[in-house]
Amino acid sequence: MRFPLRRPVDATAAPDGADDAAPPPPRPPRGRPVAAYAGVLDGRHLWLAVDAAPGSLALRETDSGDVVSLPSEVDDDDPAYRSVRVDLAGLAGASYDAVLVPGSGGRARAVWTAPLPHDSLVRTPASEDGRYRWDLGRLDDGTLRLTRVELPETVLLRRVGLAGDSFVLTTDPVPEPVLTLVGDTGSVLERPMSPTPDGLLEATLSLADLSLTDLPPGAPAETRVLVGGLPVRRRRHDLSRPGIGVILPALFDGDHEAARVRVTPDGLLGVWLDQRTGGAA
């Protein structure tokens, strides 16, 4: 299995006449295992590869210092790397450092990583239940750290689509089956939700409904969708810029776009309304 390298590259010389050259890239301290790839691609499994070295990859809990072995779900078949893919679902700690445990049973050495990219179009999705997300970070000394980030309670979005001149939203069931649009000043529209044959909840928002929102005419408005008082979360959301990566349904009044479903970078559902005519329609 081949891995794209995440290593610093040599700094290029400054152009003629430039006052300052670019700072040199960080280099791993002598003896530290170096990460070639690291990612939590599906919100549950850690993919980690380091330059080949004797020993086995593991995680060391930052609070207790306990080292947790990583039984890999895939074969380590590339002689150039030491690699694992492991299920994180059983981890109970809040944060862990990636380490390499020498085959001789010596002290575990922390894995060093080059600075991680911050402009990626993808992000680590939340866990399946939406309660937390695993983030990879870099400490000041270059150590690769895995951190569990607790997330606010949400309701899972199952489907979103169009039926005639209406949005159709389907979510997981909640005790209070009411869909609410919330603007900057509070609730602007409420609609009851109905059970579906597969045990979910469904609501429709038509152009006529959206024209009744309690919003002043003027600039377009962004509203948030709540179900049972909780934000609605896109399932397996992994896009940092969903506006350019997901095609979501829109409603038109003639040739005029009146409303569009939106998703925030955090994966939460909203509805954009064009209020220039005093309402969506």
Side-chain angles (χ1 to χ4, degrees):
M1 182 174 294
R2 299 291 179 180
F3 296 92
L5 298 184
R6 288 187 175 178
R7 295 176 176 168
V9 295
D10 293 336
T12 57
D16 292 341
D19 294 333
D20 298 314
R27 296 292 181 182
R30 184 178 179 87
R32 292 278 297 273
V34 178
Y37 180 83
V40 184
L41 306 181
D42 58 359
R44 177 168 177 166
H45 292 86
L46 170 67
W47 290 76
L48 176 61
V50 300
D51 292 342
S56 59
L57 288 167
L59 294 174
R60 182 170 59 205
E61 188 175 4
T62 56
D63 289 337
S64 66
D66 293 339
V67 175
V68 181
S69 62
L70 300 179
S72 181
E73 297 181 351
V74 297
D75 294 333
D76 188 4
D77 56 2
D78 190 330
Y81 301 103
R82 177 73 63 200
S83 62
V84 293
R85 185 186 74 185
V86 294
D87 192 340
L88 302 174
L91 297 182
S95 62
Y96 299 83
D97 292 337
V99 296
L100 181 70
V101 180
S104 60
R107 184 178 179 181
R109 293 176 292 160
V111 172
W112 186 92
T113 180
L116 301 175
H118 296 289
D119 57 352
S120 174
L121 292 179
V122 297
R123 59 187 298 162
T124 301
S127 59
E128 189 64 27
D129 60 10
R131 296 181 179 179
Y132 62 89
R133 181 182 67 246
W134 288 108
D135 278 351
L136 286 172
R138 182 181 189 270
L139 303 186
D140 291 341
D141 67 352
T143 297
L144 180 66
R145 175 163 291 182
L146 179 71
T147 303
R148 182 199 301 267
V149 179
E150 301 295 331
L151 300 176
E153 186 178 1
T154 55
V155 177
L156 186 63
L157 176 69
R158 292 292 182 170
R159 297 184 291 271
V160 58
L162 290 173
D165 65 348
S166 299
F167 294 131
V168 181
L169 306 175
T170 307
T171 71
D172 277 357
V174 294
E176 299 180 13
V178 177
L179 184 147
T180 308
L181 289 188
V182 179
D184 292 339
T185 59
S187 174
V188 297
L189 179 69
E190 286 190 357
R191 284 294 177 269
M193 303 189 74
S194 303
T196 65
D198 52 358
L200 304 176
L201 290 175
E202 186 175 273
T204 60
L205 293 173
S206 68
L207 274 176
D209 293 332
L210 296 172
S211 68
L212 300 176
T213 55
D214 186 18
L215 290 168
E222 296 280 356
T223 65
R224 293 174 289 128
V225 177
L226 305 183
V227 168
L230 297 173
V232 177
R233 175 178 58 87
R234 180 173 177 256
R235 186 168 181 253
R236 295 179 178 171
H237 179 72
D238 61 355
L239 300 175
S240 59
R241 297 168 63 187
I244 64 173
V246 180
I247 299 176
L248 292 169
L251 295 176
F252 289 82
D253 181 19
D255 294 332
H256 171 65
E257 185 176 17
R260 179 178 290 275
V261 173
R262 292 285 180 88
V263 175
T264 71
D266 290 330
L268 302 181
L269 195 68
V271 176
W272 172 87
L273 300 172
D274 190 341
Q275 296 296 112
R276 289 177 298 178
T277 57

